[in-house]
Amino acid sequence: MARTTRYSVSFDEDAIVQDVVPQLQKISVPSYSANISLFYILSETRDVFAGYRYRYNQTPKGTYDTDNSVNVGLSGRIIPRLNGSVSVGYQVRTPSDDPLNQSYKSVTASAAVTYSISKKMSLTGRVAKDFSATASDTSIDALTASLDLQYAYSAKLSFSTNVGYGRNRFLGPGGYLFGTFIGREDTSFDWGARVSYTYNQHLSVYLSYSYMKNWSNADFADFERGSWSAGASSRW
């Protein structure tokens, strides 16, 4: 990142080639993304920015999606005791295999902010709205939101709990319910809790529980699940 007075410009790109094996035939699937953003320093604790993002994703079927989006946002101290980054923008996805040769347009957004309730407790909120795709290259307009509460009871013992919401709209003919022109829509709710204990600098353990329920207008996609997990980590 190069800074000139109160302005700065950042650029990053990412290229990945993933090998997949559908039907016992190895296929290389490339993807590429590039972002460029212009930042302006409002104060010592706050920046505003505007950016452009390009993405290319190919599937094992040989089809691909290209995304173009612009966004504006704020990072740093949003308000006193609330820190993080918030952005909102507009995105266009162009799939290569849409029979009507149409593009999908939607608002895109991203936010991750943390509020310090006290020295021992903090609340983090996250929101994301973006395009994604299924393994069969059906585009999805996905929205997720979550809250995560962290509490450090002591230097050794800590607790956390979280709650989340999600909504997925399946786009284009690949997202139609069988025999209809109605697009599939899924709504989900999840919550979880975790307790962690650090014995010493070499050993820590945790116990957690998570629950998720999904509602869909596709009959086969309604489900709920809950799971317990426990683990330990050691560092020497």
Side-chain angles (χ1 to χ4, degrees):
M1 180 183 290
R3 285 190 176 271
T4 303
T5 62
R6 300 174 71 91
Y7 293 93
S8 63
V9 176
S10 71
F11 174 80
D12 64 89
E13 60 180 343
D14 188 25
I16 299 174
V17 177
Q18 181 180 6
D19 291 330
V20 297
V21 189
Q23 299 179 351
L24 302 180
Q25 181 181 4
K26 183 177 179 180
I27 300 175
S28 295
V29 180
S31 63
Y32 173 80
S33 66
N35 300 268
I36 185 168
S37 297
L38 173 65
F39 289 81
Y40 178 75
I41 302 174
L42 284 178
S43 67
E44 293 182 355
T45 60
R46 189 178 295 116
D47 292 355
V48 293
F49 61 87
Y52 165 77
R53 181 183 69 187
Y54 170 83
R55 288 190 307 199
Y56 170 90
N57 291 291
Q58 188 172 309
T59 73
K61 297 192 306 180
T63 58
Y64 60 88
D65 300 316
T66 57
D67 296 340
N68 292 274
S69 66
V70 293
N71 68 87
V72 294
L74 179 68
S75 65
R77 182 178 297 171
I78 309 301
I79 58 175
R81 301 177 70 178
L82 185 69
N83 297 284
S85 178
V86 177
S87 69
V88 64
Y90 187 72
Q91 183 169 215
V92 178
R93 163 164 288 192
T94 305
S96 66
D97 60 341
D98 189 282
L100 300 178
N101 197 30
Q102 63 180 342
S103 297
Y104 309 131
K105 305 173 179 67
S106 180
V107 171
T108 181
S110 176
V113 295
T114 298
Y115 182 75
S116 298
I117 300 172
S118 67
K119 291 183 178 180
K120 291 189 173 185
M121 185 180 297
S122 65
L123 181 65
T124 299
R126 295 181 177 86
V127 175
K129 191 174 188 299
D130 200 357
F131 286 131
S132 63
T134 66
S136 59
D137 198 26
T138 297
S139 290
I140 299 174
D141 188 1
L143 169 67
T144 60
S146 66
L147 286 173
D148 187 353
L149 181 66
Q150 302 275 347
Y151 176 65
Y153 178 78
S154 66
K156 292 180 176 290
L157 184 62
S158 63
F159 302 91
S160 66
T161 183
N162 64 277
V163 62
Y165 165 84
R167 189 193 70 189
N168 291 327
R169 294 194 306 114
F170 292 69
L171 306 175
Y176 292 159
L177 298 177
F178 181 74
T180 76
F181 294 100
I182 300 172
R184 174 180 165 182
E185 291 191 14
D186 287 13
T187 301
S188 64
F189 167 80
D190 63 88
W191 70 270
R194 176 182 173 121
V195 57
S196 303
Y197 186 81
T198 301
Y199 281 97
N200 52 47
Q201 61 180 334
H202 300 300
L203 179 63
S204 61
V205 296
Y206 74 87
L207 175 67
S208 67
Y209 176 77
S210 63
Y211 171 84
M212 178 182 179
K213 184 172 178 61
N214 190 79
W215 298 269
S216 176
N217 59 350
D219 294 336
F220 62 87
D222 286 346
F223 66 88
E224 64 179 319
R225 62 170 179 253
S227 63
W228 288 92
S229 64
S233 62
S234 179
R235 182 175 61 183
W236 296 86

